[in-house]
Amino acid sequence: YVRISGAAKHSWEQGAGMYLDNSDPIIRHVSIINNDGVVNGGGGMALIQSDPIMTYVMISDNVCDQCEGSGMALNQSSPTMTYVTISNHGGIHGSGMTMAQSSPIMNNVTIVNNTAAGIGGAIYSWNAQPTLINCTISGNTAGSNNGGIVSDGGSSIEIINSIVWGNTPLSSTYATITYSDIEGGSDGEGNINT
């Protein structure tokens, strides 16, 4: 296991823990924890035009209070993420994860206990097309709108066989949702609210 911890970025730099620009590495068995960003996204990890394959990765307890995407920030990137945990971040919007013009494939990803001062405690999506399969989005909070997932700027989100529960405040997510447990209920085939 590789642990990336204790790094700090200053000024407008991104990705205190890990920064990828036009890079497509395989990232496996890595913990990115306790890193400190300043004002740009990705206290834990920032991706620009990068499509890494990520397996068994923990992104946790990174600091970037004035950021969007304190845990992970995607810009024009489409990572494949399997067994990834994003937890315990705080910031402005999308404290767990923010994405713009990106199409991540997320399978067995857990996004929990993130807090945003604004909107989208777990995920803020702008003009992005993420796919979430077998994912858990839980225990996230936001100051103004949707503690779970915010879809904005023409985003198209697909959620399959996942749990979105216990996020505060609770509000609807504009997404195509099937076979999932959604607190408050959601239209779509096979969804439950229990």
Side-chain angles (χ1 to χ4, degrees):
Y1 236 100
V2 174
R3 175 179 169 135
I4 300 169
S5 181
K9 288 281 186 175
H10 303 286
S11 185
W12 292 97
E13 297 174 332
Q14 294 180 312
M18 182 180 291
Y19 175 76
L20 303 178
D21 191 342
N22 287 287
S23 182
D24 306 328
I26 295 172
I27 302 169
R28 184 178 296 132
H29 296 290
V30 174
S31 293
I32 302 171
I33 60 174
N34 296 319
N35 299 287
D36 190 356
V38 180
V39 293
N40 256 348
M45 189 174 190
L47 280 62
I48 297 176
Q49 296 181 339
S50 297
D51 305 329
I53 297 172
M54 302 169 59
T55 310
Y56 296 107
V57 175
M58 176 182 287
I59 303 169
S60 183
D61 297 288
N62 299 287
V63 176
C64 199
D65 290 337
Q66 301 303 311
C67 295
E68 296 180 0
S70 296
M72 189 173 186
L74 310 180
N75 187 351
Q76 300 178 44
S77 297
S78 299
T80 300
M81 304 166 62
T82 308
Y83 297 111
V84 173
T85 298
I86 301 171
S87 64
N88 303 324
H89 299 99
I92 300 173
H93 305 309
S95 291
M97 185 177 191
T98 189
M99 57 188 77
Q101 299 175 314
S102 299
S103 301
I105 304 296
M106 303 163 63
N107 197 332
N108 287 288
V109 172
T110 301
I111 304 179
V112 295
N113 301 328
N114 300 285
T115 302
I119 60 176
I123 296 174
Y124 177 70
S125 174
W126 186 86
N127 193 21
Q129 296 77 42
T131 301
L132 287 71
I133 306 167
N134 302 322
C135 293
T136 299
I137 311 294
S138 182
N140 302 285
T141 60
S144 61
N145 183 25
N146 207 333
I149 303 169
V150 170
S151 173
D152 206 355
S155 290
S156 176
I157 300 174
E158 185 171 10
I159 301 173
I160 304 166
N161 198 37
S162 295
I163 298 169
V164 181
W165 199 274
N167 302 290
T168 306
L170 174 66
S171 58
S172 60
T173 296
Y174 298 104
T176 301
I177 305 173
T178 55
Y179 302 103
S180 295
D181 189 359
I182 307 296
E183 185 175 14
S186 177
D187 294 336
E189 186 175 356
N191 292 324
I192 60 174
N193 175 24
T194 59

